[in-house]
mmCIF file of all heavy atoms in Angstrom:
data_model
loop_
_atom_site.group_PDB
_atom_site.id
_atom_site.type_symbol
_atom_site.label_atom_id
_atom_site.label_comp_id
_atom_site.label_asym_id
_atom_site.label_seq_id
_atom_site.Cartn_x
_atom_site.Cartn_y
_atom_site.Cartn_z
ATOM 1 N N GLU A 17 -15.926 17.243 8.090
ATOM 2 C CA GLU A 17 -17.357 17.258 8.355
ATOM 3 C C GLU A 17 -18.168 17.396 7.067
ATOM 4 O O GLU A 17 -19.104 16.672 6.832
ATOM 5 C CB GLU A 17 -17.712 18.462 9.254
ATOM 6 C CG GLU A 17 -17.261 18.287 10.687
ATOM 7 C CD GLU A 17 -17.745 16.977 11.266
ATOM 8 O OE1 GLU A 17 -18.972 16.760 11.252
ATOM 9 O OE2 GLU A 17 -16.911 16.194 11.727
ATOM 10 N N PRO A 36 -18.254 14.837 -9.827
ATOM 11 C CA PRO A 36 -18.380 15.756 -8.670
ATOM 12 C C PRO A 36 -17.037 16.439 -8.379
ATOM 13 O O PRO A 36 -15.977 15.803 -8.502
ATOM 14 C CB PRO A 36 -18.786 14.828 -7.520
ATOM 15 C CG PRO A 36 -19.359 13.612 -8.182
ATOM 16 C CD PRO A 36 -18.668 13.481 -9.494
ATOM 17 N N PRO A 42 -6.396 19.363 -8.805
ATOM 18 C CA PRO A 42 -5.898 20.644 -9.336
ATOM 19 C C PRO A 42 -5.029 20.399 -10.579
ATOM 20 O O PRO A 42 -4.439 19.333 -10.726
ATOM 21 C CB PRO A 42 -5.044 21.204 -8.197
ATOM 22 C CG PRO A 42 -4.994 20.177 -7.118
ATOM 23 C CD PRO A 42 -5.950 19.093 -7.440
ATOM 24 N N GLU A 51 1.848 7.780 -19.509
ATOM 25 C CA GLU A 51 3.246 8.129 -19.244
ATOM 26 C C GLU A 51 4.140 7.031 -19.852
ATOM 27 O O GLU A 51 3.721 5.882 -19.961
ATOM 28 C CB GLU A 51 3.488 8.177 -17.738
ATOM 29 C CG GLU A 51 2.712 9.254 -16.966
ATOM 30 C CD GLU A 51 3.210 10.667 -17.209
ATOM 31 O OE1 GLU A 51 4.087 10.858 -18.066
ATOM 32 O OE2 GLU A 51 2.678 11.592 -16.554
ATOM 33 N N PHE A 136 -13.161 7.351 0.678
ATOM 34 C CA PHE A 136 -12.798 8.163 1.840
ATOM 35 C C PHE A 136 -13.620 9.421 1.923
ATOM 36 O O PHE A 136 -13.169 10.449 2.427
ATOM 37 C CB PHE A 136 -11.307 8.558 1.854
ATOM 38 C CG PHE A 136 -10.462 7.411 1.481
ATOM 39 C CD1 PHE A 136 -9.660 7.461 0.364
ATOM 40 C CD2 PHE A 136 -10.520 6.245 2.227
ATOM 41 C CE1 PHE A 136 -8.926 6.359 0.004
ATOM 42 C CE2 PHE A 136 -9.792 5.148 1.872
ATOM 43 C CZ PHE A 136 -8.990 5.204 0.748
ATOM 44 N N PRO A 145 -9.913 10.078 -4.023
ATOM 45 C CA PRO A 145 -9.490 9.024 -4.962
ATOM 46 C C PRO A 145 -10.709 8.345 -5.601
ATOM 47 O O PRO A 145 -11.738 8.173 -4.944
ATOM 48 C CB PRO A 145 -8.748 8.038 -4.040
ATOM 49 C CG PRO A 145 -9.364 8.220 -2.697
ATOM 50 C CD PRO A 145 -9.802 9.670 -2.621
ATOM 51 N N LYS A 165 -9.600 -13.994 8.331
ATOM 52 C CA LYS A 165 -10.792 -14.813 8.146
ATOM 53 C C LYS A 165 -11.865 -14.430 9.171
ATOM 54 O O LYS A 165 -13.028 -14.216 8.834
ATOM 55 C CB LYS A 165 -10.401 -16.297 8.338
ATOM 56 C CG LYS A 165 -11.375 -17.245 7.707
ATOM 57 C CD LYS A 165 -10.790 -18.625 7.574
ATOM 58 C CE LYS A 165 -10.886 -19.259 8.922
ATOM 59 N NZ LYS A 165 -10.521 -20.573 9.143
ATOM 60 N N GLY A 180 -12.958 -15.270 3.224
ATOM 61 C CA GLY A 180 -12.021 -14.985 4.303
ATOM 62 C C GLY A 180 -10.798 -15.878 4.238
ATOM 63 O O GLY A 180 -9.656 -15.425 4.447
ATOM 64 N N PRO A 230 -14.458 2.334 -13.717
ATOM 65 C CA PRO A 230 -14.175 3.257 -14.827
ATOM 66 C C PRO A 230 -14.641 4.667 -14.448
ATOM 67 O O PRO A 230 -15.511 4.835 -13.599
ATOM 68 C CB PRO A 230 -15.040 2.724 -15.970
ATOM 69 C CG PRO A 230 -15.416 1.344 -15.610
ATOM 70 C CD PRO A 230 -15.394 1.269 -14.109
ATOM 71 N N PRO A 234 -11.282 10.392 -17.004
ATOM 72 C CA PRO A 234 -10.132 9.869 -16.235
ATOM 73 C C PRO A 234 -8.956 10.847 -16.149
ATOM 74 O O PRO A 234 -8.106 10.707 -15.286
ATOM 75 C CB PRO A 234 -9.720 8.612 -17.001
ATOM 76 C CG PRO A 234 -10.284 8.785 -18.367
ATOM 77 C CD PRO A 234 -11.506 9.628 -18.244
ATOM 78 N N ASP A 274 2.046 -7.372 -15.229
ATOM 79 C CA ASP A 274 2.503 -8.704 -15.609
ATOM 80 C C ASP A 274 1.977 -9.670 -14.556
ATOM 81 O O ASP A 274 2.309 -9.522 -13.366
ATOM 82 C CB ASP A 274 4.039 -8.720 -15.640
ATOM 83 C CG ASP A 274 4.563 -10.064 -16.133
ATOM 84 O OD1 ASP A 274 4.030 -11.122 -15.728
ATOM 85 O OD2 ASP A 274 5.500 -10.056 -16.958
ATOM 86 N N PHE A 278 5.257 -9.477 -8.997
ATOM 87 C CA PHE A 278 4.790 -8.593 -7.932
ATOM 88 C C PHE A 278 5.605 -7.309 -7.981
ATOM 89 O O PHE A 278 6.822 -7.346 -8.240
ATOM 90 C CB PHE A 278 4.983 -9.228 -6.548
ATOM 91 C CG PHE A 278 3.951 -10.265 -6.222
ATOM 92 C CD1 PHE A 278 4.252 -11.617 -6.329
ATOM 93 C CD2 PHE A 278 2.671 -9.900 -5.812
ATOM 94 C CE1 PHE A 278 3.311 -12.589 -6.027
ATOM 95 C CE2 PHE A 278 1.722 -10.865 -5.508
ATOM 96 C CZ PHE A 278 2.041 -12.204 -5.621
ATOM 97 N N THR A 307 -12.523 0.296 -18.325
ATOM 98 C CA THR A 307 -12.397 -0.955 -17.588
ATOM 99 C C THR A 307 -12.153 -0.727 -16.109
ATOM 100 O O THR A 307 -11.351 0.122 -15.728
ATOM 101 C CB THR A 307 -11.181 -1.743 -18.134
ATOM 102 O OG1 THR A 307 -11.134 -1.562 -19.543
ATOM 103 C CG2 THR A 307 -11.279 -3.210 -17.816
ATOM 104 N N PHE A 342 10.686 5.577 16.608
ATOM 105 C CA PHE A 342 9.225 5.577 16.731
ATOM 106 C C PHE A 342 8.730 4.153 16.626
ATOM 107 O O PHE A 342 9.487 3.251 16.325
ATOM 108 C CB PHE A 342 8.563 6.477 15.650
ATOM 109 C CG PHE A 342 8.808 6.037 14.215
ATOM 110 C CD1 PHE A 342 7.918 5.192 13.580
ATOM 111 C CD2 PHE A 342 9.909 6.501 13.501
ATOM 112 C CE1 PHE A 342 8.122 4.803 12.258
ATOM 113 C CE2 PHE A 342 10.134 6.108 12.172
ATOM 114 C CZ PHE A 342 9.237 5.261 11.543
#
Side-chain angles (χ1 to χ4, degrees):
E17 287 308 304
E51 297 288 6
F136 317 119
K165 201 165 79 175
D274 185 317
F278 282 102
T307 323
F342 63 91

